[in-house]
Amino acid sequence: MFKQKFIQWYQNQIGWTGTILIALMLGFATWGLLQRMHLSSNPAYTKGVLIATHKGAKGSMYWDFTFYADENEFKSSAPISNCKNCSIGDSVIIKYQLDNPDNNELISKSPANSLSNK
């Protein structure tokens, strides 16, 4: 009895579209968690350079940066909040997954910049 009422409620309130949206959200959340786990379990660090800024889909600002890993150049982006006192051209510290440099994050401004700007 409860099962039938629940199924009826679910179909009326959520339906197939809601089910698909919930599944997509759970999939993206799981993918994001796995990416962070892999990055934390197999990290490498290198220097990168801020090359530009751009506005995201909802108006948030992002840094564009480039770095080298295994003699290959990689380009990525990170929220401005990851490096608030940075400027285009500054060196930054990048953390990346050793066996997948496309999985990366901007950690902070490079200490060398901080010393040279004083």
Side-chain angles (χ1 to χ4, degrees), residues 71-85:
E71 299 181 11
N72 295 310
E73 182 180 31
F74 292 87
K75 292 184 179 178
S76 194
S77 62
I80 291 278
S81 61
N82 285 26
C83 197
K84 293 179 183 175
N85 297 321

Side-chain angles (χ1 to χ4, degrees), residues 45-51 63-67 82-83 86-87 89-95 105-111 113:
Y45 297 86
T46 191
K47 241 184 213 185
V49 177
L50 298 176
I51 56 173
W63 287 114
D64 295 324
F65 59 90
T66 184
F67 67 97
N82 285 26
C83 197
C86 294
S87 302
D90 282 352
S91 292
V92 289
I93 305 295
I94 307 298
K95 178 181 177 181
E105 66 178 318
L106 190 157
I107 300 295
S108 67
K109 190 173 188 176
S110 175
N113 281 336

Side-chain angles (χ1 to χ4, degrees), residues 1 13 19 39 50 56 66 70 81 98 103-104:
M1 183 74 171
Q13 297 298 317
T19 302
L39 181 59
L50 298 176
T66 184
D70 298 325
S81 61
L98 193 57
N103 184 12
N104 59 69

